[in-house]
Amino acid sequence: IGRFCHYNHDYDYDYDYHYYYKFFINGTTTVSSDERTAIVLNTTERAYVLKEMRGLLEAIEAVTLGISQDDMKAVSLASREVGMGATRSGNEPMTLIAKLPLEFKTLGMSVHRSFDELALEADTMGDGSIILGKLGAILNTCTTCHANYKFTD
């Protein structure tokens, strides 16, 4: 195994680390006048992210309606549509993932995972008050993200 793990003296590891840190951890960002982090996206990338956010809001609407009608199948269906499965569409612009800061990606993935947990609750126990509490936690994540980030060209 040692022959595969050698240090290349000609390679600039420091540059690679900073490149990785800048583009994977920080993304493409700038400081905005309202103290939020502005994520720099082109028109296509921004449209994609905003469409995904609208989908999350539509799911929240459907879940809320499902809870009010004690329709756990509707709650589960709406939740699964925006769960982790939605992150594997392959339709996202190739440049997008590199531009989003790690914390933004982490918050987004936690929302998708939380919707899967919400669907599981609807499928098993079906307790509307627990689901409503989980929905409140999802909305808290959304609020946190919107308080910290915005998009710019």
Side-chain angles (χ1 to χ4, degrees):
I1 203 166
R3 66 187 167 127
F4 297 110
C5 300
H6 69 282
Y7 183 83
N8 182 347
H9 295 284
D10 296 325
Y11 186 78
D12 188 353
Y13 289 96
D14 194 45
Y15 172 80
D16 194 48
Y17 170 79
H18 291 293
Y19 180 84
Y20 169 81
Y21 186 83
K22 176 168 178 21
F23 290 106
F24 187 77
I25 306 294
N26 285 346
T28 306
T29 62
T30 185
V31 178
S32 69
S33 60
D34 64 1
E35 298 183 13
R36 292 185 291 168
T37 299
I39 302 171
V40 182
L41 300 177
N42 67 35
T43 304
T44 303
E45 295 159 344
R46 182 178 179 159
Y48 180 86
V49 175
L50 293 177
K51 181 180 178 186
E52 184 172 315
M53 288 181 186
R54 281 191 300 278
L56 293 169
L57 283 173
E58 290 166 357
I60 290 168
E61 177 186 16
V63 166
T64 304
L65 185 61
I67 292 169
S68 73
Q69 297 173 348
D70 199 29
D71 183 353
M72 293 302 127
K73 285 186 179 183
V75 169
S76 178
L77 178 63
S79 299
R80 288 202 192 286
E81 286 180 359
V82 295
M84 287 301 290
T87 66
R88 297 179 194 78
S89 72
N91 296 328
E92 62 276 345
M94 296 301 292
T95 55
L96 180 61
I97 299 304
K99 289 184 176 182
L100 301 175
L102 182 59
E103 183 183 10
F104 183 91
K105 289 182 267 202
T106 301
L107 288 168
M109 289 297 109
S110 75
V111 167
H112 291 293
R113 275 191 303 277
S114 294
F115 270 108
D116 281 339
E117 292 171 11
L118 201 146
L120 182 62
E121 176 63 35
D123 290 338
T124 56
M125 300 301 288
D127 186 330
S129 63
I130 291 174
I131 293 169
L132 197 56
K134 289 181 182 290
L135 192 60
I138 290 170
L139 286 168
N140 181 274
T141 302
C142 295
T143 302
T144 298
C145 195
H146 281 266
N148 288 301
Y149 296 100
K150 72 181 205 176
F151 300 119
T152 190
D153 298 308

